Amino acid sequence: MRSALRWVDLFAAALTAWTGIHALRAFLSMIVWNIGQDRAPTQLGAIALGFWTVGLMAWPVARRLGGRRPEVRFALIFGMLYALNQSVAHPSLTPALSVAAWVAWLWLFPSVVAALGGRGTASAVLPGLLLGVAAQVAVQAALQGLDLPVLRGPTAGAVALLLAAALYGSVLPLTPASGRENLPGWGLAALGPYLVLQLTLLANPGWVAVLAGWDMLRTATLILLGLVAACVAAAWDAPASIRAVAAVAAVAALLRPGWLAGPGVWLVPAVQMLLVISLAGALASRPTGSGPSARRASHGTASVYGWTAVAAVLIFALLFSFYSHYTWPQLWAVMAALAVVPTFLRTRGAAVGALRAAAAGGVVGTLGLIVCAAGIAQARAAGDLAARDRPAPPILSVATYNIHQAFTYRGVPDPEGIARVIESLDADLVGLQEVGRGWNVNGGPDLVAWLRWRLPQYRVVYAPMLGDLVGHVILSRYPISDYGWRAYPRRTSPLAYGLTWVVVPTAAGDLLFVTTHFSPYAAYAADREAQAADLLTFWQGRPRAVIAGDFNATPSEATIRRLLDAGLRELTVPHGLGEAFTFASGRPYERIDYLFASSDVTSVSASIPQTTASDHLPVVAQVRLR
């Protein structure tokens, strides 16, 4: 017997999903950029798995410490950790709170599912998850690409506290209804790969923007339309044959990731709907069985905790595999296949109440898009559009800055700190390295979209290097007549690097501005020397050229000597800064960031501003073109 689904059931599932996305992204970013920074992927995986395993102990923890209503107790514990985590920006406390919050959420989620099952409303899980993801995308659009996991301080803490209070308030009324217990079975395991697919593709504004070449407003609109349509699709009690066809179609659409580029991006909402049609049957509730009610309840609840633990294991395995290659789009079809496996073995009907989630998602999404559009309009009005229409003068300032994915020297996210440093440079052309967009291990922000909004005085050119979601950005105050990028051949280093370039018309003639990033670590010195040769082959001695970047080589290394021997000049040398350190920013000990130029570019002044907004220091110079 199913109980009528109420708004409180839907909101409990949605808020659990929404805050869980934040907790997961914060956990991943702290593991990668703080706790395990510069460690090998296997070491990172081992560290993450150690903490993750504690989260998998939800059932014994609930039995011993959860009391009669573990969902209430876990919601309180998680909410406190979640709010504190967003309030604090500290190199030790922030990662500790991020880990603790994620572990607490892994305990919370199965307890909420079990509580909904005890009321006969476990059908809220799927539409609630969709509503939570829709809220996530809408708020990220309103924040112009940022997300709560990369924000810290009093304001972020206050927002997190409100969400935590709302979560606790929605869980509190989930009292069990006698005789109405209906719990989803092993289909819950499908939520693991389904959630990873949402975070890495279907509801990832950064990646969809890369696929489509769109701005944040259009990208978020497409994703939200797909989520709302998916909620409507979840309300359809489709026959088993239709669910099977939808499952096969969803997997087939992802077999070749290249299909999603350009106009193919419209496959994203289509896949969203196809997967939900399949999953609605897989997650259908079922009676807990015969026998004494207490025994049935205990067995059914243990099953929920067990299958959600399987989902959590799949999340870990898929995320680790996906990001161990920086990105691995071919895994999307595997994720979809794992998500739809239960479709072929379950025959029960679809979730109920999904139309409510569609209505709520539509309202949330619309509000988010309105705020996004208003922010874009305000940024455009504030930008110096007149300067964009004029050729650049013969005297310009240029800069290079490795922004370290907007993580500080201490490993805490601070995108606003990066933006303030860029503003303080007051450069006409800026080359940025290590810029991510939609990378969950960075906290999920689309830094390219946000920089376009935050720095409207600049044109922004993005080029992918390490996969599709990590690369270079060139900022230009003046019109760009041409641009492009080129990847260096892979040699001994497993990672791909390259260069990005723009041509800027100036009063002295066209200026070629290049930003690049060479392979790091001492073991790849030969790679860097070969990349220097690749860079010189691209340059070919062209006049009025400035080459900025993180070369990961000290002035005495063969890589730098090769560039200088080819006729390039380092712009800081005339001002006594040729040996000045640029890394690491908190305790500089080596020079690896440079501004090179052709001989017809004269250095007027140069500086290396001191800041810990990134682990690198920026380098800025004023030049005169001939």
Side-chain angles (χ1 to χ4, degrees), residues 37 402 404 407-409 582-586 612-617:
Q37 185 174 1
N402 183 323
H404 192 47
F407 282 79
T408 68
Y409 168 72
T582 62
F583 181 87
S585 60
T612 57
S614 165
D615 63 343
H616 288 248
L617 295 175

Side-chain angles (χ1 to χ4, degrees), residues 272-291:
Q272 187 77 265
M273 288 187 291
L274 291 169
L275 284 174
V276 167
I277 291 171
S278 303
L279 278 168
L283 294 174
S285 301
R286 62 179 181 178
T288 55
S290 58

